[in-house]
């Protein structure tokens, strides 16, 4: 309706108006198997070959339904915003939702996504890696089927660093040495005031042996959190820190290494494919190593996407089926080999063709063993906002004082009290 | 006759009430409730507790101060620049249409697109307005850039409003003043400005109310990071990001009250 009223003013005569409306109505129907087929609406972040995956599943549905791909914004906050606004309005136009791993608790608690039970749940669990499966679970119930997963690794230039640093301390000393030799010295990390800050902080706290929340969902943030803050502050004020650190997101980190400004970065594996495309001459000495730790081995951030079924879907049966097809081994293989998204099904890692695109697949599987999921809580968004605001810019962290502020504000956030910055 | 007039006005009034009155009333009602969409089972009336929370939050007052700062500084600069541009537009003899069109270009560009332009211009390494410095990462630099983007965009609007005021100043008065020996500056301050007072006040009113609700430039340039949230940004973060309808509506009501106070202030000094 809004289209008609919105354009009506510019096209006063009925003839051109009806032409436009006709065009608008025809456009989305292009390429459909048959008019009137049931549509299952998938909402997901932009992914280049998602449409191929959806078309494959439409074909497999044998004309019972067809999957329509609806693209959400590129950034996680924008995606969540669009989903929750529609869900809060009980929009029946959503069926399958591609959820970031951190949203499960929030959407489940609000009653916006359906529980997976019986045969569907069994199929979603079969062969799925443990850590991704945990991110789809809330209070012991399964709320989504893991589609892709992700871990950060340390990516470094072997022409500058003979051995990769294993701890944040070693990263700083490596940078100090490189800076003294007047070589690119920066080690990129996501220090901007956004989700990436939470990702960094959470992994450091976990690497120090602690957690932000207790398993029951209460406030934890003990001595390991203090250790994490000390490391963040030390790093942000060391020669390893890019002056743009307080504004660095994943893409900025990737570009800084590709541009030759930085010697290493902690980032998701997509940087490998990007390096191959943008700077093929640098690829031979662009290497990976486990996520750095504090004293022992580090615990990598855990990302990924899970498929959930909207509470307001009018065709849940078909939606579950579509979701299962969209994350079956064949679909995950397309996502992995063509879009660089690590699979959640263990078996796909040894599929043919994976070795070429995923030379680092063993490192990913190893990191997945110990990866640190971000806290599971319905108020995750508040937690993340508070962490981003309190720790930004990282060079201004004053460990004991910042920890006290964090404890107070996260405590408020857990009770959904207080104001978000 | 009178009754007929009322009936004729009724449909418009009902529509206005439905599309503006009800949402405002609904916000006020929400602001008196604990209404967090993540906890649908814990909704309750809590009186003025949300107002106490917001008004005792340092984040709110930081945002309020930042908003006032941006409003005062940007509107002041816009007024001075806008006046200069208006005089140029008014006095230009040749290519008047061309000058007016050129001046209006920034106002015609979508704010978000322009904001991205400024953002990339100030991105270290690639931006044409910065070397390796990252001015958007510290509060002072970020606010300066936000003000710059605002001024660049809305000065033409200010100039246009002032131009209509300039047209109201009778040429004979200026000529008479000049015969009496008034200098250029004296003619401007003693004749033009007083006669333009209503136009200036209207322009200031428009721009102040607009500037106080600044959202898109900040949303793109910093997203509210580095303590650069305006009141609208922080309300948006709580309402849409945090899904806290109670706190978010409280902030919206407070913004409405602030804007109403500003408007009342201007209306008081406006000549009738």
């Amino acid at each position: 309706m809004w289209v008609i009223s919105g354009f009506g003013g510019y096209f006063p005569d009925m003839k051109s108006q009806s032409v436009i409306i006709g065009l608008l109505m025809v456009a989305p129907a292009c390429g459909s198997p048959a008019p009137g087929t049931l549509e299952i609406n998938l909402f997901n972040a932009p992914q280049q070959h998602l449409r191929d995956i959806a078309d494959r599943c439409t074909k497999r549905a044998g004309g019972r339904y067809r999957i329509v791909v609806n693209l959400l914004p590129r950034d996680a906050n924008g995606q969540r915003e669009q989903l929750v606004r529609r869900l809060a309005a009980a929009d029946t136009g959503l069926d399958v939702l591609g959820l970031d791993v951190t949203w499960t608790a929030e959407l489940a608690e609000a009653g916006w996504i359906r529980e997976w039970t019986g045969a569907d749940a069994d199929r979603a669990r079969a062969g799925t890696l443990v850590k991704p499966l945990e991110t789809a679970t809330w209070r012991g119930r399964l709320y989504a089927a893991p589609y892709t997963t992700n871990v950060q690794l340390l990516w470094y230039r072997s022409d500058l660093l003979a051995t990769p640093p294993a701890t944040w301390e070693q990263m700083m000393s490596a940078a100090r040495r490189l800076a003294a030799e007047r070589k690119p010295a920066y080690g990129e990390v996501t220090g901007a005031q956004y989700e990436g800050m939470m990702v960094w902080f959470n992994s450091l706290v976990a690497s120090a042996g602690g957690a932000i929340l207790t398993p029951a969902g209460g406030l934890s943030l003990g001595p390991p959190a203090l250790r994490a803050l000390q490391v963040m502050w030390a790093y942000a004020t060391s020669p390893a820190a890019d002056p743009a650190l307080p504004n660095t997101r994943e893409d900025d980190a990737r570009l800084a290494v590709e541009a030759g400004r930085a010697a290493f970065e902690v980032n998701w594996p997509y940087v490998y494919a990007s390096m191959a495309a943008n700077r093929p001459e640098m690829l031979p000495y662009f290497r990976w190593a486990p996520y750095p730790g504090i004293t022992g081995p580090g615990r990598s951030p855990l990302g990924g996407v899970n498929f959930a079924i909207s509470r307001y879907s009018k065709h849940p049966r078909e939606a579950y089926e579509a979701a299962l097809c969209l994350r079956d081994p064949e679909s995950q293989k397309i996502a992995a080999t063509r879009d660089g998204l690590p699979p959640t099904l263990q078996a796909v890692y040894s599929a043919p063709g994976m070795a070429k695109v995923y030379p680092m697949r063993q490192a990913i599987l190893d990191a997945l063993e110990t990866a640190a999921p971000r806290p599971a809580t319905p108020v995750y968004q508040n937690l993340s906002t508070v962490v981003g605001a309190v720790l930004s810019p990282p060079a201004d962290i004053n460990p004991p004082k910042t920890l006290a502020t964090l404890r107070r504000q996260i405590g408020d956030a857990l009770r959904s009290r207080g104001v978000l910055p | 006759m009178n009754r007929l007039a009322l009936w004729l006005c009724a449909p418009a009034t009902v529509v206005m009430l439905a599309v503006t009155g009800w949402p405002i009333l609904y916000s006020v009602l929400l602001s008196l409730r604990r209404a967090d969409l993540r906890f649908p089972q814990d909704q309750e009336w809590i009186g003025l507790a949300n107002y106490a929370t917001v008004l005792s939050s340092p984040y709110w007052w930081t945002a309020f101060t930042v908003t006032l700062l941006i409003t005062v500084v940007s509107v002041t600069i816009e007024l001075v620049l806008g006046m200069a541009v208006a005089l140029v537009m008014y006095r230009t003899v040749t290519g008047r249409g061309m000058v007016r069109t050129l001046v209006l270009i920034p106002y015609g560009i979508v704010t978000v697109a322009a904001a991205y332009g400024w953002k990339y211009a100030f991105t270290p390494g690639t931006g044409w307005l910065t070397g390796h410095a990252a001015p958007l990462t510290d509060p002072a630099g970020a606010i300066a850039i936000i003000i710059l983007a605002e001024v660049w965009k809305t000065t033409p609007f200010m100039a246009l409003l002032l131009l209509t005021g300039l047209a109201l100043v009778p040429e004979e008065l200026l000529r008479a003043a000049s015969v009496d020996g008034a200098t250029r500056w004296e003619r401007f301050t003693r004749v033009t400005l007083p006669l333009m007072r209503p136009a200036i006040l209207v322009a200031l009113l428009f721009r102040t109310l607009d500037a106080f609700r600044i959202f898109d430039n900040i949303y793109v340039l910093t997203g509210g990071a580095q303590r650069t949230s305006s009141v609208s940004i922080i309300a948006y973060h709580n309402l849409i990001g945090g899904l806290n309808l109670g706190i978010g509506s409280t902030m919206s009501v407070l913004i409405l009250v602030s804007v109403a106070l500003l408007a009342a202030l201007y209306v008081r000094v406006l000549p009738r």
Side-chain angles (χ1 to χ4, degrees):
Chain A
M1 268 313 284
W2 66 270
V3 171
I4 300 169
S5 52
F7 281 87
Y10 297 98
F11 301 96
D13 63 309
M14 280 310 286
K15 200 173 155 201
S16 56
Q17 211 176 64
S18 57
V19 167
I20 286 158
I21 295 164
L23 282 175
L24 287 169
M25 289 171 78
V26 166
C30 293
S32 67
T37 314
L38 174 63
E39 287 185 351
I40 294 298
N41 279 294
L42 163 67
F43 281 75
N44 202 75
Q47 179 195 329
Q48 210 183 344
H49 294 92
L50 186 61
R51 218 168 289 268
D52 298 346
I53 295 175
D55 288 349
R56 179 183 152 263
C57 289
T58 297
K59 223 169 270 163
R60 296 204 20 166
R64 281 181 302 119
Y65 58 84
R66 100 190 155 82
I67 299 171
V68 180
V69 176
N70 300 272
L71 292 185
L72 294 169
R74 213 159 258 290
D75 65 300
N77 281 343
Q79 292 159 16
R80 172 182 164 279
E81 220 160 76
Q82 208 173 103
L83 286 178
V84 297
R85 285 169 91 162
R86 282 170 176 260
L87 290 167
D91 188 336
T92 56
L94 293 81
D95 300 296
V96 182
L97 316 174
L99 304 187
D100 188 280
V101 288
T102 56
W103 304 336
T104 316
E106 174 178 24
L107 270 64
E109 196 75 6
W112 286 335
I113 51 177
R114 295 168 189 252
E115 192 187 340
W116 287 60
T117 53
D120 294 322
D122 292 344
R123 284 174 67 193
R125 287 196 180 100
T128 305
L129 292 159
V130 177
K131 289 279 178 177
L133 201 56
E134 278 171 9
T135 65
T137 311
W138 173 240
R139 294 196 197 279
R141 295 156 186 256
L142 187 68
Y143 280 97
Y147 169 47
T148 60
T149 186
N150 228 340
V151 282
Q152 285 192 357
L153 298 173
L154 173 73
W155 304 85
Y156 67 101
R157 280 174 54 176
S158 60
D159 59 328
L160 295 173
L161 298 164
T163 49
T167 63
W168 290 90
E169 198 57 57
Q170 288 177 21
M171 284 161 79
M172 290 182 247
S173 52
R176 216 165 286 130
R177 200 181 56 243
L178 286 168
E181 295 169 13
R182 300 190 170 278
K183 288 179 179 165
Y186 298 145
E188 301 291 324
V189 54
T190 55
Q193 183 178 337
Y194 83 119
E195 185 62 26
M197 184 78 91
M198 177 63 150
V199 164
W200 185 23
F201 178 60
N202 184 60
S203 269
L204 284 180
V205 176
S207 300
I212 295 177
L213 298 187
T214 63
L219 188 65
S220 174
L221 285 182
L226 186 65
R227 189 81 197 89
L229 291 175
Q230 285 162 347
V231 171
M232 286 174 95
W233 172 78
Y235 194 81
T237 50
S238 80
D242 190 320
L245 174 68
N247 245 13
T248 301
R249 300 175 177 234
E250 286 101 327
D251 268 337
D252 306 306
R254 169 181 69 84
L255 289 170
V257 177
E258 285 177 14
R261 220 152 58 89
F264 53 96
E265 63 182 314
V266 286
N267 216 331
W268 312 100
Y270 84 109
V271 298
Y272 187 79
S274 170
M275 185 64 84
N278 295 347
R279 300 294 302 270
E281 72 280 9
M282 275 171 79
L283 196 65
Y285 49 89
F286 188 57
R287 303 281 176 79
W288 58 89
Y291 192 84
I294 289 187
T295 45
R299 295 188 59 190
S300 165
L302 180 64
V305 173
N306 303 325
F307 286 139
I309 309 301
S310 162
R311 155 65 38 92
Y312 305 105
S313 166
K314 285 189 169 160
H315 313 286
R317 195 58 260 128
E318 288 81 1
Y320 277 109
E321 198 182 305
L324 282 167
C325 174
L326 290 166
R327 49 93 56 191
D328 72 5
E330 190 52 38
S331 296
Q332 291 205 14
K333 211 187 124 194
I334 299 176
T337 54
R338 294 206 230 151
D339 290 327
L341 298 168
T344 52
L345 293 165
Q346 177 118 35
V348 181
Y349 282 86
S350 43
M354 283 292 283
K356 188 165 171 284
V357 221
Y358 272 97
M360 77 305 278
R361 64 195 189 288
Q362 194 52 48
I364 293 175
L365 281 170
D366 291 345
L368 275 172
E369 296 282 316
T370 58
R374 280 160 276 169
T377 163
V379 290
Y380 178 78
Q381 192 66 22
N382 298 33
L383 244 65
S384 169
T385 311
V386 163
V387 167
V390 174
L391 303 189
S392 177
D396 285 358
I397 291 174
N398 172 346
K401 225 177 111 200
T402 306
L403 183 61
T405 314
L406 263 188
R407 290 184 60 95
R408 194 180 60 244
Q409 295 200 9
I410 291 185
D412 273 351
L414 287 175
R415 282 167 286 153
S416 88
R417 281 202 351 215
V419 168
L420 288 180
Chain B
M1 196 57 207
N2 208 353
R3 182 166 287 233
L4 175 67
L6 283 179
W7 275 112
L8 288 174
C9 289
T13 314
V14 169
V15 168
M16 282 296 281
L17 281 179
V19 300
T20 62
W22 168 241
I24 291 173
L25 180 67
Y26 188 55
S27 300
V28 174
L29 292 178
L30 274 176
S31 73
L32 302 174
R33 287 177 65 87
R34 175 177 152 80
D36 189 323
L37 286 179
R38 272 96 39 105
F39 302 96
Q41 64 283 14
D42 304 342
Q43 313 242 349
E44 55 182 333
W45 293 99
I46 51 168
L48 294 174
N50 283 334
Y51 288 88
T53 306
V54 173
L55 292 174
S56 64
S57 158
Y59 287 131
W60 168 260
W61 289 111
T62 309
F64 197 84
T65 317
V66 165
T67 312
L68 277 185
L69 178 73
I70 293 176
T71 307
V72 170
V73 177
S74 68
V75 172
T76 309
I77 301 176
E78 281 161 24
L79 178 66
V80 176
L81 283 181
M83 183 62 87
V85 173
L87 284 170
V88 170
M89 287 200 282
Y90 189 63
R91 295 283 167 212
T92 307
V93 186
T94 52
R96 187 177 271 205
M98 177 70 97
V99 169
R100 291 187 183 183
T101 312
L102 281 177
V103 164
L104 270 177
I105 287 177
Y107 193 64
I109 293 178
V110 179
T111 314
V112 170
Y116 270 107
W118 289 112
K119 184 183 169 148
Y120 291 132
F122 286 104
T123 299
T126 48
W128 61 283
L129 284 175
T130 185
H132 283 280
L136 277 171
T137 60
D138 80 287
I143 289 178
I145 293 172
I146 290 166
I147 291 175
L148 171 68
E150 275 290 286
V151 168
W152 178 82
K153 176 167 172 65
T154 44
T155 297
F157 179 64
M158 183 69 105
L160 210 62
L161 289 175
L162 294 177
L163 185 63
T164 58
L166 272 179
L168 292 176
V169 181
E171 248 346 271
E172 310 85 78
L173 269 185
L174 291 171
R175 245 174 280 144
S178 139
V179 169
D180 290 344
T183 61
R184 215 171 235 285
W185 179 247
E186 280 169 340
R187 270 178 283 156
F188 178 67
T189 52
R190 300 283 179 84
V191 181
T192 310
L193 279 187
L195 284 170
M196 278 181 71
R197 192 165 166 247
I200 292 175
L201 282 171
V202 167
L204 282 179
L205 173 67
F206 276 1
R207 276 304 307 143
T208 308
L209 300 192
D210 251 7
F212 193 82
R213 294 171 299 157
I214 178 172
F215 181 84
D216 26 20
N217 263 324
I218 300 184
Y219 180 84
V220 172
L221 285 166
T222 64
Q226 272 74 253
R227 300 187 289 282
T228 55
S229 276
S230 68
V231 284
S232 297
I233 291 272
I234 194 173
Y236 166 81
H237 280 165
N238 281 274
L239 193 63
I240 309 290
L243 297 180
N244 196 332
L245 303 189
I247 294 285
S249 301
T250 304
M251 290 176 171
S252 308
V253 171
L254 289 172
I255 295 171
L256 179 72
V257 170
S258 312
V259 168
L261 284 177
L262 280 173
L265 199 73
Y266 274 111
V267 168
R268 194 163 271 264
V269 291
L270 262 179
R272 313 232 162 230

Coordinates of all heavy atoms in Angstrom, one line a residue, chain A residues 54 102 154 199 236 260 267 272 335 372 395 402 412:
Chain A
A54 N 19.5 -21.0 -1.8 CA 18.0 -21.0 -1.7 C 17.3 -21.7 -2.9 O 16.4 -22.4 -2.8 CB 17.5 -19.6 -1.5
T102 N 24.7 -14.4 18.8 CA 24.5 -13.8 20.1 C 23.1 -13.4 20.4 O 22.7 -13.0 21.5 CB 25.3 -12.5 20.2 OG1 25.0 -11.7 19.1 CG2 26.8 -12.8 20.2
L154 N 45.1 -15.4 14.4 CA 46.1 -14.4 14.2 C 46.6 -14.5 12.8 O 47.1 -15.6 12.4 CB 47.2 -14.6 15.3 CG 48.4 -13.6 15.1 CD1 48.0 -12.2 15.5 CD2 49.6 -14.1 15.9
V199 N 33.8 -8.5 21.4 CA 34.5 -9.7 20.9 C 35.9 -9.8 21.5 O 36.3 -10.8 22.0 CB 34.5 -9.6 19.4 CG1 35.5 -10.6 18.8 CG2 33.1 -9.9 18.8
A236 N 46.8 -1.0 23.8 CA 46.4 0.2 23.1 C 47.4 1.3 23.2 O 47.4 2.2 22.5 CB 45.1 0.6 23.7
G260 N 49.7 -2.8 3.7 CA 51.1 -2.8 4.2 C 51.4 -1.9 5.3 O 52.6 -1.7 5.7
N267 N 41.7 -11.6 13.2 CA 40.5 -11.4 12.4 C 39.9 -12.7 12.0 O 40.5 -13.8 12.2 CB 40.9 -10.5 11.2 CG 39.8 -9.6 10.7 OD1 38.6 -9.9 11.0 ND2 40.1 -8.5 10.1
Y272 N 41.7 -14.1 4.4 CA 42.5 -14.9 3.6 C 42.1 -14.8 2.1 O 42.9 -14.5 1.2 CB 42.6 -16.3 4.0 CG 43.6 -17.2 3.3 CD1 44.9 -17.1 3.6 CD2 43.2 -18.0 2.2 CE1 45.9 -17.8 2.9 CE2 44.1 -18.8 1.5 CZ 45.4 -18.7 1.9 OH 46.3 -19.4 1.2
A335 N 28.4 -22.4 0.8 CA 28.7 -21.3 1.7 C 30.2 -21.2 2.0 O 30.8 -20.2 2.0 CB 27.9 -21.3 2.9
A372 N 35.6 -19.1 22.7 CA 34.9 -18.5 23.8 C 33.6 -17.9 23.3 O 33.7 -16.8 22.7 CB 35.7 -17.5 24.5
A395 N 42.8 3.1 25.0 CA 43.9 3.7 25.6 C 43.6 4.4 26.9 O 44.4 4.7 27.7 CB 44.6 4.6 24.6
T402 N 37.9 1.1 35.6 CA 37.1 0.7 34.5 C 36.3 -0.6 34.9 O 35.1 -0.7 34.5 CB 37.9 0.4 33.2 OG1 38.7 1.6 33.0 CG2 37.1 0.1 32.0
D412 N 23.4 -3.3 36.1 CA 22.2 -2.6 35.7 C 21.6 -3.2 34.4 O 20.4 -3.4 34.4 CB 22.5 -1.1 35.4 CG 22.4 -0.3 36.7 OD1 22.0 -0.8 37.7 OD2 22.8 0.9 36.7

